[in-house]
Amino acid sequence: MNGNVNPQEIEKFSALASRWWDPNGPQRPLHELNPVRLAYIRRVRPLSNLRILDVGCGGGLLTEAMAAEGARATGIDLSEQLIDIARLHLLESGLQAEYRVVSAEALAAEQPGTFDAVTCMEMLEHVPDPQAIVQACFDVLKPGGSLFLSTINRTPAAFALAVVGAEYVARLLPKGTHDYRSFIKPSELASALRHTGFVLEDVSGLHYNPLTRTASVGSNTSVNYLMTARKPDV
Ligand code: SAH
């Protein structure tokens, strides 16, 4: 595998494929974050008929939730196993979405300026060059299109919760799921967005309490956070 991808990351996520849709499995936090992030997107962009691209879609938790609200959703990921699982799950749900094993950069080169919105959730911290993903998201959007990102902040609180707490204490995530050095500060992501030409519209905290299994959007960005950005109209 060449390009802007860490093959070990892809292997790590591929190993979770068979249990991706198990709400009590290793991706439990993503299941519990899903309604909250969906509401965050919907507030800015009603999903009905929206042509939306989900970059690093995994097994399709968010892609399908958006399709269920009427979006014309495409999910892309570089894990073949996860794209297989995502396609299989459509048979169970009866929903429609397009899934492809293709990089964001390649899709952006193939279909520039064609999506109303792009989501890229919990993925940038697993990629060698996040700036190149942000650029691909920009290129694939129509003018006026919206980008929704979420990732993990590089703070002691994020290290304590996302690595030590979730992986070692609660055993919620498999050990090695996250590498602290790859976490991205909101200021760094904001600067990458501006550098690309995006207008930053919102930064919000994405809170998750593993004990109560509840998620919410709020002001504390010290662990996980969301951003909304817009590609300017021409
Ligand atoms: N966005 C999904 C899955 C998050 S897990 C959700 O929030 O529900 C991170 C995903 O990023 C995994 O599916 C992994 O295979 C994918 N990924 C990692 N590096 C990637 C890359 N360079 N290109 C595309 N997907 C990548």
Side-chain angles (χ1 to χ4, degrees), residues 5 17 19 30 45 53 58 65-66 70 75 80 83 93 115-116 126 136 141 148 171 180 198 223 230:
V5 58
R19 295 193 67 203
L30 291 183
R45 288 274 175 171
L53 175 68
M66 297 192 294
E80 281 180 31
I83 290 295
S93 65
F115 286 88
D116 301 310
H126 302 289
L141 277 170
F148 302 95
R171 310 247 167 113
Y180 181 70
F198 276 110
V223 179
R230 195 180 288 266

Side-chain angles (χ1 to χ4, degrees), residues 4-6 9-10 13 20 27 30 37 54-59 61-62 76-79 82 102-103 121-123 126-127 133:
N4 184 19
V5 58
N6 179 344
E9 292 282 338
I10 301 298
F13 286 106
W20 201 270
Q27 292 300 29
L30 291 183
R37 53 196 193 173
D54 190 13
V55 174
C57 65
L61 295 179
L62 182 63
I76 61 170
D77 202 286
L78 289 177
S79 162
L82 283 168
V102 63
S103 71
M121 305 260 170
E122 313 304 328
M123 182 266 196
H126 302 289
V127 169
I133 301 290

Side-chain angles (χ1 to χ4, degrees), residues 49-101:
N49 263 325
L50 198 71
R51 181 144 198 258
I52 193 157
L53 175 68
D54 190 13
V55 174
C57 65
L61 295 179
L62 182 63
T63 324
E64 252 201 32
M66 297 192 294
E69 299 210 0
R72 288 177 287 144
T74 298
I76 61 170
D77 202 286
L78 289 177
S79 162
E80 281 180 31
Q81 287 91 328
L82 283 168
I83 290 295
D84 282 348
I85 289 291
R87 287 186 182 134
L88 272 174
H89 201 267
L90 291 177
L91 301 176
E92 257 177 62
S93 65
L95 291 165
Q96 287 189 340
E98 184 190 19
Y99 286 111
R100 287 179 60 187
V101 181

